[in-house]
Amino acid sequence: MGALLTGRELRTIFDALCPFDDDLALRSDGERITLLAANSNNWWQTRAFVMTSALGDQSPIIVQFSHNSNTKIGGLPGKIFAPEGLGYHGNAAIRGAQAMASWIEMEVEAFGADLVAASLDHFAVPKFDPDKCYPQRAVPTGYADAIDASIAFLESKDLGHMMEDMSGGLREKYIAYLTSDEYQLFRSDFQETVEVIRPAWGMIDTEGIPPVLDFAVTRDIADAVRVEMANHDMMLEAELGETGQSGDEIEYEAMSGQELEDFAELTAAFVEYTGAEGLSYDIGMKHAAKADEKHEVDENKLEVVQGRVIQNTGTYAAFAQHGGTGSAGVAKGLVGKTNINTAFLVAGSIGRFQRFSADPDKVTGGDKKVCGTDVETHCYLEAVYNETVARMEPTGSMNTGPACFEALGW
């Protein structure tokens, strides 16, 4: 067939892969599967990911496009090299989204891949700064109500103690943020990108935003997609808290006892309030981990929180592991999808490096055979493909096409 998975089809696959049984007992390791979510920054990475998915009995894969990568593909000066004085017209993020959407559709058709899903990754809302004066945009009324509704909902769930201190005019600052040019531009960019790519999965990156504002922002974006756009297909990933960054020297502290119970209840309330079908929160990973950097997955937190979400809401919200490059292992099933970006960038760069370092004199001497397009179409593409296979194998999803097709009723 060769067509991208829809959001509802991806949802069906995730439901079939739920790591808990009907009694909320964790299934055995051999029964659990994680999907690889591979970030694409260029054409060749997308091709490598689609090729991997199409081989053999086929393997499900999620190919992710971030706001940053779309903007670079779209050619925005400052995000890419551009000579001084060069003008630019249009929205680079949308131009990039259009290019990548067209490319991946062509690739899945060409290689006959039936289990590839497109995803939006790290569409980051503007950082909230309580000391900033936000230029305002004319928007519909109701954002004051959005903050009040978040507070009321949290209090109704006996989670008032999990909220930030709302004194010092913080409510009014939140309203100013939500009605600002900056936030409203992000909101419209996200909607337009969803319209262009029609992704099966979309992430709202609210990393580090406090609970009341996080609940309000995520609900607002969910309404923008579900109500304003009438898009009931895309799975929406919501983020609570933040994942660390390589080199930040912040030690991960595992939760236990009442702290873990409170977080599990807060997360379940988050899913109920926002309608999220995917989740991310801190489990000890770091973004952009280096080759010798490995981090243990907090499987206890995952089991408690993910089980509580199902228990309280009846919804299985697949967990999205960010910073998957540096994960010490794959917590199969408990992690619904593991996001990999850095490892593919490094693999491709090593492929090029090895090609050039084998014949440096020919490179500097202008030998076409060494410097030609084979660098991308063979060296780079093969290196990324090999890394994709290596990253998919421990997830348990390799060649699970028949099980996915059965779940989909195909």
Side-chain angles (χ1 to χ4, degrees):
M1 185 166 61
L4 289 168
L5 290 170
T6 67
R8 291 308 91 193
E9 288 166 347
L10 182 61
R11 170 88 235 191
T12 297
I13 291 172
F14 272 122
D15 283 342
L17 299 180
C18 178
F20 298 94
D21 64 21
D22 292 341
D23 297 320
L24 292 184
L26 190 62
R27 300 183 191 277
S28 68
D29 183 74
E31 296 178 279
R32 290 184 269 135
I33 291 171
T34 292
L35 299 191
L36 176 62
N39 280 55
S40 179
N41 299 276
N42 56 56
W43 324 110
W44 309 116
Q45 286 186 330
T46 296
R47 177 163 288 173
F49 303 151
V50 172
M51 284 176 165
T52 306
S53 177
L55 270 179
D57 288 333
Q58 298 203 41
S59 308
I61 193 169
I62 299 171
V63 180
Q64 308 202 133
F65 305 102
S66 70
H67 185 270
N68 183 52
S69 68
N70 285 349
T71 303
K72 289 181 176 181
I73 291 293
L76 183 66
K79 283 287 188 178
I80 65 165
F81 163 77
E84 188 175 348
L86 182 69
Y88 188 88
H89 308 284
N91 187 318
I94 303 306
R95 290 189 191 281
Q98 290 169 334
M100 297 309 275
S102 175
W103 181 265
I104 194 171
E105 287 174 2
M106 179 187 75
E107 294 292 282
V108 296
E109 181 179 354
F111 294 107
D114 300 313
L115 294 174
V116 177
S119 168
L120 304 184
D121 184 47
H122 284 296
F123 268 68
V125 302
K127 296 294 184 185
F128 171 72
D129 181 353
D131 298 321
K132 184 174 182 176
C133 180
Y134 286 99
Q136 297 295 287
R137 175 178 290 198
V139 297
T141 58
Y143 279 106
D145 293 341
I147 298 299
D148 294 340
S150 293
I151 294 170
F153 182 80
L154 285 162
E155 289 177 340
S156 75
K157 296 292 183 179
D158 295 324
L159 292 168
H161 62 290
M162 299 289 286
M163 298 189 314
E164 57 269 38
D165 181 358
M166 294 299 295
S167 63
L170 190 57
R171 173 182 177 274
E172 288 68 32
K173 293 175 182 178
Y174 281 170
I175 296 167
Y177 167 84
L178 290 171
T179 54
S180 68
D181 277 337
E182 197 174 351
Y183 174 77
Q184 291 297 319
L185 179 60
F186 160 80
R187 192 180 190 273
S188 61
D189 270 2
F190 184 79
Q191 286 180 294
E192 192 168 354
T193 305
V194 169
E195 187 62 37
V196 168
I197 294 183
R198 307 299 292 181
W201 180 289
M203 178 203 181
I204 303 300
D205 185 345
T206 57
E207 189 165 271
I209 286 182
V212 169
L213 185 56
D214 198 353
F215 272 58
V217 166
T218 305
R219 176 66 174 265
D220 180 51
I221 300 299
D223 286 346
V225 173
R226 300 288 190 237
V227 180
E228 295 173 24
M229 300 180 67
N231 181 330
H232 299 280
D233 181 66
M234 185 186 80
M235 295 181 68
L236 180 69
E237 175 193 338
E239 183 173 30
L240 196 59
E242 60 185 316
T243 300
Q245 189 76 23
S246 178
D248 62 13
E249 298 184 355
I250 299 173
E251 291 293 325
Y252 175 74
E253 296 184 8
M255 293 179 178
S256 61
Q258 190 59 50
E259 183 185 20
L260 180 55
E261 283 292 309
D262 285 346
F263 184 78
E265 290 295 325
L266 180 67
T267 307
F270 190 47
V271 169
E272 180 182 345
Y273 190 70
T274 62
E277 295 180 284
L279 271 176
S280 57
Y281 46 83
D282 191 10
I283 56 167
M285 298 299 101
K286 300 280 188 180
H287 287 297
K290 295 179 175 60
D292 60 351
E293 185 179 349
K294 296 299 175 186
H295 302 280
E296 296 294 332
V297 177
D298 190 342
E299 294 193 31
N300 179 61
K301 183 177 184 179
L302 278 169
E303 185 172 354
V304 171
V305 176
Q306 294 301 105
R308 186 66 52 82
V309 170
I310 298 174
Q311 180 181 330
N312 287 13
T313 70
T315 297
Y316 168 50
F319 182 81
Q321 175 179 265
H322 293 272
T325 291
S327 178
V330 179
K332 290 196 298 184
L334 285 170
V335 168
K337 73 182 189 74
T338 180
N339 294 4
I340 308 288
N341 182 25
T342 302
F344 300 126
L345 294 170
V346 171
S349 293
I350 290 174
R352 290 184 181 121
F353 172 77
Q354 290 175 339
R355 168 66 174 249
F356 293 142
S357 61
D359 291 296
D361 292 338
K362 290 184 178 181
V363 174
T364 57
D367 190 317
K368 181 180 177 182
K369 291 188 82 172
V370 177
C371 301
T373 55
D374 282 1
V375 174
E376 304 304 314
T377 61
H378 289 71
C379 300
Y380 185 87
L381 179 59
E382 183 178 4
V384 176
Y385 165 78
N386 288 337
E387 185 68 18
T388 308
V389 172
R391 291 288 173 165
M392 183 177 283
E393 283 178 340
T395 68
S397 63
M398 186 76 79
N399 289 312
T400 57
C404 293
F405 297 142
E406 182 179 358
L408 292 164
W410 292 358

